[in-house]
Structures are given as C-alpha cells and as structure tokens.
Amino acid sequence: MQIIRNRLMVNHIPRFGFKYMSDSTFLNEEHLQIQKAALDFSKEKMLPYSAEWDKKHHFPKDVLRELAAMGFSTIYVKQESGGVGLDRLTASVIFEALSYGDVTTTAYLTIQNMCAYMVDQFGNEEQKKTWIPRFGTFDAFASYCLTEPNSGSDSKNMKTFAKKDGNDYVINGSKCFISGGSVSDVYLLMCKTSEKDVSCIIVEKGTPGLSFGKLEDKMGWNASPTSMVLFDNVRVPQSNLLGKEGNGFKMAMSALDGGRINIASCSLGGASFAFDLSKDYLHDRKQFGQPLASFQGLQFKFADMATNLVTSRLIVRQAAQMIDNNHPDKTLYSAMAKRYATDSCFNVANEALQLHGGYGYLSEYQIERIVRDLRVHQILEGTNEIMKVIISRNLLK
C-alpha cells in the first residue's frame, strides 16, 4: 500500500504518459511541435508545484512570465501588433497542454490572451503600442470586468456607468468575480455609457477611486486571486475608450466565442491529468487478489471516461477551427463545445475521484483539486444553461 501512496503522491507524473493529448486530429506538424513544448513546460514547471500553489493560494507570476517568454500571452494577437499571430486551434492545443500541469494558472493565462486580443481587434494604434507589448511580457497583468452582483447572465442589465465630464469619463459601479482582481495592473471594463449603450474602457490600477473587495475564498482556482472591483467616481480620459462607444456588448460577445473554447481546453487538460492518474491507480491498486484494472465494471467506467475525453476534444477543436475560418455558425459551435466539454470533463474528473475511492478524497492524490478547479468552468464564460439557450436559439431561428 505504501508503494501505491508514494507513487501517487503530490509530485507524481503518470508513468503511462500523455496518451490522449497526443491525438493529432485537426493538427499539423507545427501544432504538434508547439503542443510538445507546452506539455514539456507544463510537466516541468507547473505540475510539480500546482498542489502547493493551490494550498497556499499562491499566484505564480514568475511562471506566467516564463510562459510569456514562450509567446503564450499573446497567442492570437496579430504579428504586426506585436503578438505571435497563431490561430485559435493552436491556442486550444496550448491551453490544454498547460492545464495538464495546472488548470488555474492556465485559466488566468487565457484571460491575459483575451484582453490582448480585444486591444488588438478594437484598439487604436496608440492603445496597441501601449498595452500589447506589456501584455506580451506580463509587465502588465490584465483583467476583464463584465459580471456584476446583480447581472451575471443578464449582462445587458449592468449598472456600472461611465458619464462624460469634459474630456473624461467618471465611472461608478462595481464588478464581481474578477480573476486577477486587486493584483492586475489594468482592467478592461464593460460599462454603460448611456441608458442603452455598453462600452469598454481601460482603467489602470492606481487610478483614484478604484478599489477592490476582499479576496474571495473559493472552492477552486485558489492559485488565482478573485475579488470585486469597485469604481467610486473613477476619472479616466475619454482616450481610454476601447473601440467605439456603444460597441462594448458586441466586443464582449466576440471575445466570448474564443473564451469558451479556451476554458473548454483547460477542462480537457485537467481531465486528461485525472484520467492518466486513474490509469496508474487501476493498475497498481489490488483488491480481492487482482488489480482494479481487471474488473469489468471499472473497465467500462474507464472506457466511458476515455470516450468523453476524446469526443470533447473533437468538438472543441472543430469549434476552434470554425472561429479561425470565421464560419457563420462559430458562435453555435463554440457554445456546443463549451457546454459539452466542460460538463464531460468535470464528469471525467469526478469519476476519477470515485475510482480512487477514499484516496481520491485526499489532497495528496491531486484528483480532488482537479474536481474543484474544473467545476467553475460550467459556470463562467456563460453558464452551461445559457449555452443551451444560445444553441437552441441558433437552431430554431
């Protein structure tokens, strides 16, 4: 029994390898090379420390800066804007591989990429020159502010308001559940600029009137700080407007298609790690004189886990390609991929915990952390119930 415990302790990397991540469906040689680089980094620089980061609520800024040095903080920002200029499929492959080592850190990395993308797509030349190089090195950490205490899925009902005053905006309101809240250097704020219009405004940390709530005590994602972001007569120049006034909601929806693929990819990576740990455990753990892997009931459960992983990966990669090709159904397929993959991958991790029995409930075996980290993916970037609304509306219109 002690042999099993030693093998499956905190720093364990599954000895049977990363079998399902190497699936080359939709991928070319360049994708596979980038995937290997991301996975090697994940195993060496993230996986051995992820349990400690979770336990100590440590936000690994140094690791994020190393990832930035690999080009992973501006993956799909255009090269002429200072980014790497890769596609969404490549980003999905990268985020899946990195999440094998740590889901939470990778999830924050996806937010940095989304903020850089929004500046690239909608910013003027001055904003691009100011922010994209800083986002690309993690000289500036970024947060995206959409959700409010009384408007989650009903984002059009937000109350945070930016009123023009001379050449400035004066902002009042609050945002909640903001990843990087209090730690990030810049906040891309979605707010009302009229009774009907939603706009996006760049607000820097340190601006008078900008403050933060307490760090939230969460079920998972403990390696990433989360807080409310509060605006009390925050004055910023109108030049901080990102894109055109009134285009904020359109910008948010544009970013969310990719955001849904990103978070689904993080679910794939975490579930793959739980799956590989389970494979080791089924071979090592013996009951009634034989390995668990020899019991048909557990073989069936394991087969379902593998099937859910593979089918999730296929729909995520298909949706990523549709975004890359600007397919008219990209929003529909992004919603499908997000709903299916985050549900299925959470179930894979939960089944992995069940396969481990009581050991799965112990933090040293790592499975329970994956379950905690993946659970929120069914809520953020649009709840999975909202994904079903988007899917049905698209199919029935």
Side-chain angles (χ1 to χ4, degrees), residues 259-305:
R260 287 162 183 159
I261 298 305
N262 292 347
I263 209 64
S265 302
C266 291
S267 290
L268 282 167
S272 295
F273 179 55
F275 179 87
D276 286 352
L277 287 176
S278 298
K279 185 172 183 178
D280 280 10
Y281 189 80
L282 289 175
H283 282 285
D284 290 334
R285 173 73 162 158
K286 291 185 177 180
Q287 291 287 279
F288 307 102
Q290 53 187 321
L292 295 183
S294 66
F295 292 94
Q296 191 176 62
L298 299 183
Q299 293 170 1
F300 287 174
K301 185 185 291 287
F302 196 65
D304 286 340
M305 292 164 64

Side-chain angles (χ1 to χ4, degrees), residues 38-52:
L39 182 57
D40 288 347
F41 184 96
S42 177
K43 287 182 175 180
E44 179 183 352
K45 298 294 185 71
M46 300 172 77
L47 184 55
Y49 310 104
S50 56
E52 181 181 6

Side-chain angles (χ1 to χ4, degrees), residues 169-172 203 207-211 230-236:
Y169 285 112
V170 178
I171 307 169
N172 285 281
V203 182
T207 304
L210 178 67
S211 62
L230 310 172
F231 304 85
D232 183 11
N233 289 322
V234 173
R235 182 178 291 270
V236 298

Side-chain angles (χ1 to χ4, degrees), residues 160-345:
T160 301
F161 200 96
K163 183 179 180 180
K164 286 183 178 178
D165 183 28
N167 294 322
D168 298 334
Y169 285 112
V170 178
I171 307 169
N172 285 281
S174 62
K175 297 292 179 175
C176 63
F177 307 135
I178 304 304
S179 293
S182 78
V183 174
S184 289
D185 303 289
V186 61
Y187 298 84
L188 270 58
L189 169 68
M190 292 293 172
C191 61
K192 291 283 187 70
T193 46
S194 74
E195 288 303 317
K196 293 184 178 180
D197 290 332
V198 174
S199 303
C200 183
I201 298 175
I202 300 171
V203 182
E204 293 185 62
K205 187 177 183 180
T207 304
L210 178 67
S211 62
F212 307 97
K214 68 178 180 66
L215 292 179
E216 304 291 358
D217 188 10
K218 309 186 297 287
M219 173 182 175
W221 274 30
N222 290 324
S224 173
T226 302
S227 78
M228 292 188 70
V229 181
L230 310 172
F231 304 85
D232 183 11
N233 289 322
V234 173
R235 182 178 291 270
V236 298
Q238 288 186 31
S239 59
N240 282 24
L241 177 70
L242 188 64
K244 296 180 180 179
E245 197 169 275
N247 273 8
F249 194 75
K250 179 181 178 181
M251 293 162 60
M253 295 304 102
S254 171
L256 281 174
D257 279 346
R260 287 162 183 159
I261 298 305
N262 292 347
I263 209 64
S265 302
C266 291
S267 290
L268 282 167
S272 295
F273 179 55
F275 179 87
D276 286 352
L277 287 176
S278 298
K279 185 172 183 178
D280 280 10
Y281 189 80
L282 289 175
H283 282 285
D284 290 334
R285 173 73 162 158
K286 291 185 177 180
Q287 291 287 279
F288 307 102
Q290 53 187 321
L292 295 183
S294 66
F295 292 94
Q296 191 176 62
L298 299 183
Q299 293 170 1
F300 287 174
K301 185 185 291 287
F302 196 65
D304 286 340
M305 292 164 64
T307 303
N308 286 335
L309 263 179
V310 171
T311 53
S312 294
R313 184 172 293 115
L314 291 174
I315 194 171
V316 168
R317 289 183 180 173
Q318 181 183 15
Q321 272 198 339
M322 294 177 85
I323 294 176
D324 289 331
N325 297 330
N326 198 27
H327 193 282
D329 287 332
K330 63 183 180 181
T331 296
L332 168 64
Y333 277 79
S334 295
M336 286 180 171
K338 193 271 181 182
R339 202 290 303 164
Y340 183 82
T342 57
D343 280 349
S344 296
C345 289

Side-chain angles (χ1 to χ4, degrees), residues 29 58 67 95 102 111 158 206 238 281 285 297 299 316 356 362:
E29 186 59 35
H58 172 68
L67 288 166
F95 295 142
D102 189 65
I111 296 169
M158 67 177 64
Q238 288 186 31
Y281 189 80
R285 173 73 162 158
Q299 293 170 1
V316 168
H356 279 73
L362 302 180

